[in-house]
């Protein structure tokens, strides 16, 4: 069954999506990039408020995918108490040295999700090799939010191939990127583990605006069904 990931930028939004029953609460700052990070103290405060009621993920920012950049950022982020750390593969390629570092971190029990971007398709990676690094999952997103949704940038077949490749490699899969309510039904048919939302939850679909409760509940119903609602 596909779960719902909701991206929030502050404590108020985190409370709102927690009450709505989001399956993963994702912490990021939409005003500072595709994977803009929150201040570490803000992440800590949100983690304390959620208190283990649902998994929390957090991004490390739009950091180059090289070990010298991402390893310190991963360690700082995981020290806040989040369950999952998300890192972007902005060039669409993964080098062996960085994968080795991820393997070491994963071996310490750190759950890492790699985020790939539709604009970089085809990606210079082998999902089987990615899985050997011990990362928990892979997610597909869009880097440029103003130029269309994930479903506008990649065909249904390519999205299916991504999800199916993750499944075969025993990796968690997620799809995100300016998704709308109309995207939900066809993406559910593909069967990712999670669908990620920000814009569709906000006033007038603007990702830098506050989350709107009515929009949040609508998306939650369409992803998970009425029987999951409080």
């Amino acid at each position: 069954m596909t779960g719902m990931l909701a991206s929030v930028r502050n404590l108020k939004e985190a409370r709102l999506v927690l009450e709505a029953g989001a399956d993963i609460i994702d912490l990021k700052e939409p005003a500072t990039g595709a994977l803009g990070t929150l201040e570490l103290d803000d992440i800590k405060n949100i983690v304390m408020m959620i208190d283990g009621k649902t998994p929390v993920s957090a991004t490390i920012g739009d950091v180059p995918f090289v070990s010298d950049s991402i390893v310190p950022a991963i360690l700082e982020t995981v020290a806040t108490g989040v369950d999952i750390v998300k890192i972007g593969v902005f060039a669409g390629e993964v080098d062996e040295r960085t994968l080795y570092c991820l393997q070491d971190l994963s071996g310490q029990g750190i759950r890492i999700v790699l985020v790939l971007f539709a604009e970089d398709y085809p990606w210079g990676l082998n999902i089987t090799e990615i899985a050997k690094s011990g990362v928990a999952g892979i997610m597909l997103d869009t880097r440029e939010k103003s130029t269309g949704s994930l479903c506008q940038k990649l065909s249904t077949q390519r999205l299916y191939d991504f999800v199916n490749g993750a499944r075969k490699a025993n990796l968690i899969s997620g799809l995100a990127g300016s998704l709308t309510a109309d995207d939900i039904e066809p993406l559910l048919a593909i069967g990712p583990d999670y669908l990620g939302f920000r814009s569709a939850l906000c006033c007038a679909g603007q990702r830098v605006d506050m989350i709107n409760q009515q929009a949040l509940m609508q998306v939650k119903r369409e992803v998970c069904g009425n029987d999951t609602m409080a």
Side-chain angles (χ1 to χ4, degrees):
M1 180 176 176
T2 300
M4 174 185 170
L5 177 149
S7 293
V8 306
R9 67 193 306 190
N10 55 43
L11 198 58
K12 182 178 180 180
E13 289 188 344
R15 286 196 182 97
L16 198 62
V17 300
L18 178 64
E19 291 171 0
D23 298 290
I24 294 182
I25 297 177
D26 180 53
L27 312 184
K28 68 180 177 183
E29 175 47 69
T32 57
L35 295 178
T37 185
L38 298 182
E39 295 293 333
L40 293 176
D41 285 344
D42 292 335
I43 296 175
K44 290 178 184 177
N45 289 336
I46 294 172
V47 169
M48 288 177 62
M49 184 276 294
I50 293 172
D51 193 27
K53 296 180 181 69
T54 196
V56 180
S57 63
T59 64
I60 64 169
D62 290 1
V63 178
F65 193 80
V66 292
S67 56
D68 291 347
S69 298
I70 66 172
V71 171
I74 290 171
L75 292 175
E76 284 184 342
T77 304
V78 80
T80 64
V82 298
D83 302 288
I84 300 165
V85 180
K86 290 168 57 185
I87 57 178
V89 187
F90 288 95
E93 298 200 6
V94 178
D95 65 84
E96 290 186 5
R97 181 186 175 192
T98 304
L99 279 183
Y100 179 81
C101 292
L102 293 182
Q103 187 175 28
D104 181 56
L105 294 173
S106 297
Q108 299 174 40
I110 299 174
R111 299 187 72 202
I112 297 168
V113 168
L114 299 188
V115 181
L116 303 163
F117 295 96
E119 292 87 348
D120 297 323
Y121 182 87
W123 311 284
L125 85 164
N126 181 302
I127 292 180
T128 302
E129 290 301 314
I130 293 292
K132 290 179 182 178
S133 71
V135 299
I138 52 177
M139 192 161 192
L140 185 53
D141 203 339
T142 56
R143 187 174 60 247
E144 302 297 332
K145 305 300 180 181
S146 62
T147 57
S149 71
L150 179 69
C151 294
Q152 293 172 312
K153 294 183 178 182
L154 290 178
S155 69
T156 300
Q157 183 61 52
R158 286 175 178 167
L159 297 178
Y160 172 81
D161 290 342
F162 178 84
V163 170
N164 193 46
R167 185 180 298 115
K168 288 181 177 179
N170 294 315
L171 294 173
I172 295 168
S173 64
L175 300 176
S178 301
L179 300 182
T180 68
D182 291 338
D183 294 323
I184 294 173
E185 185 175 353
L187 291 181
L188 288 178
I190 293 173
D193 293 298
Y194 295 95
L195 292 178
F197 299 91
R198 172 70 196 182
S199 299
L201 309 180
C202 297
C203 298
Q206 299 298 312
R207 67 193 299 266
V208 295
D209 286 347
M210 282 291 295
I211 288 179
N212 175 275
Q213 186 173 24
Q214 183 176 358
L216 168 64
M217 300 304 273
Q218 179 187 358
V219 170
K220 176 64 177 175
R221 280 193 296 268
E222 294 191 27
V223 173
C224 300
N226 292 326
D227 58 339
T228 67
M229 301 300 295

